[in-house]
């Protein structure tokens, strides 16, 4: 006999957007100045053929490769300094709220207000992010304390699928009764782990934080409720997207500035392998719920690459579908790791009607794919 669970809804979302914008033109100017400095510094080796010269980037190259036009960042000056090329954050004492917790609390308060809840109504906090600020104590527990929430909190990382994987944990916790009202936050300070000095990826990421409230439908009082019809997760190991930074680095007696200690990827391989995996994953998931891809009103997809999203949708619905079916936000926000599909959901759901179905789907390093099928109540 199959267990019967109460309906569970997403009743609020929040979005922290950093104050600074870096346009492609600004980014290219800084990168090219850095490249010129490096080429001048290593002119002899370049002339001898023992070191390749750095190639300039361009606005046209970035937009053709990705569809990205700008990105938001928490700190701008350090990223655009050709002598530095990464953000400059001031250290904070242990008694001060951490930067990651600070932006998570901002997004969480928005989500709580939308859901008609307060921090005291929350009895579980899941902080899911591609890169955590520290090992411990858990960021989720700090966020829990800052909001005055009860229950428990923990951190989780499944790279760019962290938000959808956390949504499944929240969904299961609520429907089985281990929590009544769960906050999922996805603070992504991607500017700190992006290699801004690499032409192939220097344009990819932006900073942001998203938040969601997940609760039983019979406790939800907010005006905008989305019933979770089902979730599906999948992983398959790949090193094509990787970051080797971690606490064991110092024990390895290696260069702390080594290239593999920031984000790197085999972009063409990722594109070729992930697109069919993501499309098949979504189609299979919908089939389990007796839904066909054309019956889905909207797809809020992971925001990594415009061409990737277009191809996933083409495989699902059999034709080029515009922003009405699969809204794009990466032109404004760039790739925001786990937060991208949630930003799309946050910005592009108000026009849907009761009964409309949608899919929140992320895909990324691991490989990992997570899908959450929802219906507007």
């Amino acid at each position: 006999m199959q267990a019967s669970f109460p309906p569970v809804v997403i009743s609020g979302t929040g979005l922290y957007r950093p104050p600074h914008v870096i346009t492609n033109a600004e980014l290219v100017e800084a990168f090219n100045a850095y490249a010129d400095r490096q080429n001048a510094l290593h002119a002899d080796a370049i002339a001898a053929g023992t070191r390749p010269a750095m190639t300039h980037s361009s606005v046209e190259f970035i937009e053709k490769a990705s569809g990205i036009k700008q990105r938001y960042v928490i700190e701008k000056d350090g990223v655009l300094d050709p002598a530095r090329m990464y953000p400059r954050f001031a250290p904070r004492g242990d008694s001060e709220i951490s930067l990651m917790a600070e932006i998570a609390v901002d997004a969480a308060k928005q989500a709580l207000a939308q859901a008609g809840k307060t921090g005291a109504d929350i009895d579980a906090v899941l902080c899911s992010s591609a890169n955590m600020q520290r090992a411990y104590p858990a960021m989720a527990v700090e966020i829990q304390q800052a909001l005055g929430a009860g229950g428990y909190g923990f951190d989780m990382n499944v790279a760019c699928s962290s938000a959808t994987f956390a949504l499944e944990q929240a969904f299961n916790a609520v429907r089985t009764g281990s929590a009544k009202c769960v906050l999922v936050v996805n603070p992504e300070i991607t500017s700190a782990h992006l290699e801004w000095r690499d032409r192939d990826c220097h344009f990819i990421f932006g900073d942001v934080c998203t938040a969601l409230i997940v609760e039983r439908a019979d406790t939800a009082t907010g005006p905008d409720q989305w019933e979770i019809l089902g979730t599906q997760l999948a992983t398959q190991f790949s090193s094509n997207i990787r970051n080797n930074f971690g606490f064991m680095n110092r024990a390895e007696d290696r260069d702390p500035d080594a290239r593999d200690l920031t984000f790197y990827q085999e972009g063409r391989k990722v594109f070729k392998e992930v697109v069919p995996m993501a499309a098949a994953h979504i189609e299979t998931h919908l089939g389990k719920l007796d839904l066909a891809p054309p019956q889905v009103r909207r797809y809020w997809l992971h925001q990594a690459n415009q061409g990737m999203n277009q191809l996933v949708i083409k495989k699902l619905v059999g034709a080029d579908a515009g922003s009405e079916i699969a809204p794009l936000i990466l032109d404004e926000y760039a790739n925001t790791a786990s937060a991208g599909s949630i930003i799309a959901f946050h910005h592009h759901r108000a026009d849907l009607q009761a009964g409309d179905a949608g899919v929140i789907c992320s895909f990324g390093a691991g490989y990992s794919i997570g899908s959450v099928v929802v219906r507007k109540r």
Side-chain angles (χ1 to χ4, degrees):
M1 182 177 178
Q2 189 173 8
S4 177
F5 295 108
V8 175
V9 299
I10 298 171
S11 58
T13 63
L15 173 66
Y16 165 81
R17 190 174 70 185
H20 304 293
V21 171
I22 297 180
T23 66
N24 286 346
E26 290 176 301
L27 196 63
V28 165
E29 181 181 1
F31 178 85
N32 290 350
Y34 169 77
D36 290 342
R37 287 167 64 102
Q38 291 299 303
N39 288 340
L41 181 64
H42 301 287
D44 291 343
I46 293 170
T50 58
R51 182 186 180 98
M54 289 192 68
T55 304
H56 277 189
S57 186
S58 71
V59 170
E60 294 75 20
F61 161 69
I62 292 172
E63 294 186 7
K64 182 179 179 180
S66 66
I68 296 168
K69 296 182 178 179
Q70 64 165 54
R71 70 282 302 142
Y72 295 98
V73 293
I74 294 172
E75 199 282 324
K76 179 175 180 175
D77 293 342
V79 172
L80 298 182
D81 181 354
R84 183 178 177 89
M85 300 295 283
Y86 53 89
R88 184 178 285 106
F89 297 142
R92 299 185 179 188
D94 291 353
S95 62
E96 300 176 275
I97 190 169
S98 64
L99 179 57
M100 184 171 275
E102 181 179 284
I103 67 174
V105 167
D106 184 292
K109 287 181 176 178
Q110 296 176 46
L112 287 166
Q114 192 177 101
K117 294 286 189 288
T118 69
D121 295 313
I122 300 297
D123 59 354
V125 177
L126 310 185
C127 181
S128 52
S129 169
N131 286 269
M132 291 297 166
Q133 180 172 338
R134 61 170 183 260
Y136 44 80
M139 301 304 307
V141 180
E142 183 179 9
I143 295 162
Q144 174 195 25
Q145 191 275 336
L147 290 170
Y152 62 91
F154 64 85
D155 296 345
M156 57 182 295
N157 177 355
V158 202
C160 288
S161 292
S162 294
T164 52
F165 274 58
L167 264 175
E168 179 176 88
Q169 310 315 308
F171 173 55
N172 286 337
V174 171
R175 68 176 181 159
T176 59
S178 67
K180 294 179 180 178
C181 189
V182 181
L183 167 67
V184 174
V185 284
N186 320 109
E188 293 290 4
I189 307 178
T190 62
S191 60
H193 75 92
L194 176 59
E195 183 47 87
W196 298 94
R197 299 167 293 187
D198 186 331
R199 178 180 180 272
D200 289 339
C201 69
H202 76 112
F203 53 87
I204 290 180
F205 288 109
D207 297 334
V208 80
C209 183
T210 50
L212 304 117
I213 304 298
V214 179
E215 61 179 317
R216 281 173 50 151
D218 60 11
T219 68
T221 57
D224 188 40
Q225 299 175 25
W226 295 80
E227 183 177 353
I228 299 175
L229 302 181
T231 60
Q232 180 171 288
L233 312 179
T235 53
Q236 177 181 310
F237 185 73
S238 169
S239 281
N240 288 332
I241 311 172
R242 195 168 178 116
N243 183 336
N244 288 330
F245 181 80
F247 69 92
M248 292 178 65
N249 295 152
R250 70 170 188 166
E252 296 167 342
D253 296 330
R254 56 186 306 202
D255 178 6
D257 199 36
R259 178 64 188 89
D260 70 320
L261 300 184
T262 48
F263 167 88
Y264 67 104
Q265 69 170 350
E266 296 283 346
R268 289 183 178 86
K269 289 182 180 179
V270 172
F271 192 104
K272 182 179 179 181
E273 295 170 4
V274 169
V275 166
M277 288 173 58
H281 178 98
I282 293 171
E283 187 169 22
T284 300
H285 189 190
L286 289 172
K288 292 177 180 178
L289 297 169
D290 295 323
L291 289 169
Q295 293 177 280
V296 174
R297 180 70 174 78
R298 187 149 298 159
Y299 291 88
W300 301 282
L301 299 179
H302 176 54
Q303 304 283 317
N305 181 284
Q306 182 176 357
M308 180 179 286
N309 283 16
Q310 289 173 339
L311 192 51
V312 169
I313 288 299
K314 188 172 184 178
K315 286 180 177 292
L316 288 169
V317 302
D320 290 326
S323 58
E324 173 67 17
I325 300 298
L328 196 74
I329 58 91
L330 90 162
D331 54 342
E332 177 183 357
Y333 288 87
N335 184 338
T336 51
S338 72
S341 59
I342 309 303
I343 299 173
F345 178 67
H346 175 82
H347 278 315
H348 297 285
R349 71 177 191 270
D351 60 317
L352 270 63
Q353 304 300 313
D356 284 344
V359 176
I360 302 169
C361 183
S362 60
F363 30 90
Y367 292 131
S368 57
I369 303 176
S371 55
V372 181
V373 181
V374 297
R375 177 179 287 141
K376 184 172 176 63
R377 289 171 67 90

